[in-house]
Amino acid sequence: MDIIPNQLPQIQPLTSAWAAPIAIDMLRLDEVHPVVSGNKWYKLKENIKATLAEGKEGLLTFGGAYSNHLVATAAAAHSFGMQSVGLVRGLYAAENPTKTLVDCVAYGMKLIFVSKEEYSKKEEKEYLNSWQEQFPNYYIVPEGGANQYGRQGVAQLAELISKEYTHICVSVGTGTTMAGVIDGVGAATQVLGYAPMKGGAYLKEVIGNWVNTNNWQLFDDWHFGGFGKHSQELVDFMNTFYTSNKVPLDMVYTGKMMYGVKKQLELGYFPTSAKVLAIHTGGLQGNSTIATRLVY
Ligand SMILES: *Cc1c(COP(=O)(O)O)cnc(C)c1O
């Protein structure tokens, strides 16, 4: 089962001018699908399989007004002929819907707006039970696809990843993708995670609870002031990266990750024998607000 027909993601070497003194390749998950882009399909695929296997009619999930996960769920459900319901964080989002939410509706997702206080209960059993009662025939997927099936789907990416890589770099939101990669690649490879939000250190505990090995590290230094926040320096960096490598980065996740990798290169973090694979998790639609400042 795949939403990405006959297309394996490409692995593209970054130029030696950019990656010196080591070799870095990029796994271009951003190219796999125009909407269910990047890591989102991998987190959804086993959830969708389970929904179909249990004979349920749709998926119910959670997200903010800019959530890539929400629109990916809407598009994926639509392409498998399933229903979808999105619980959206914040009542204000209903009055002035973002492009993400408009796209969700176009894929047939029923949006239900809840207050931020209510949304914060999204992992509580009782709260989830109340939604399950209202939508008995729906499979509930947590925010960001952060469940066992999400990690299992991501772990399958390891089939694309050669054993010669010493380090895998990935950006982190819920940590589901990073945990899946850690499970998938085996303990001989270091997995490095880059948190794009302020106070991202809490994710160490979250990820630690999901994985059984300690071949990983989480960095939270390169958040540029918080989730979704950016400076001219970051935008300039993304433009330079594109000019060197012809790879577009997004400002929320992968731009900050590659900025961190560049800093680590400058600091001599990687041994010269390192062979690094950076995972491009997509998210390019998130660049719409800075589109006029980008060279791509
Ligand atoms: C959603 C997203 C992430 C975060 O993935 P998690 O599995 O929640 O950690 C990273 N990068 C991009 C581009 C995303 O859209």
Side-chain angles (χ1 to χ4, degrees), residues 39-40 43 68 171-177 250 253 281-283:
N39 54 350
K40 298 299 183 280
K43 293 198 284 183
N68 296 337
S171 64
V172 176
T174 62
T176 309
T177 303
D250 81 292
Y253 293 102
T281 41

Side-chain angles (χ1 to χ4, degrees), residues 12-51:
Q12 174 179 342
L14 301 184
T15 58
S16 53
W18 196 89
I22 61 165
I24 304 182
D25 292 346
M26 199 156 217
L27 178 62
R28 299 290 308 274
L29 299 186
D30 57 310
E31 295 184 321
V32 297
H33 188 277
V35 181
V36 197
S37 141
N39 54 350
K40 298 299 183 280
W41 165 245
Y42 296 92
K43 293 198 284 183
L44 282 169
K45 72 191 274 196
E46 295 301 319
N47 279 294
I48 288 178
K49 258 192 209 167
T51 308

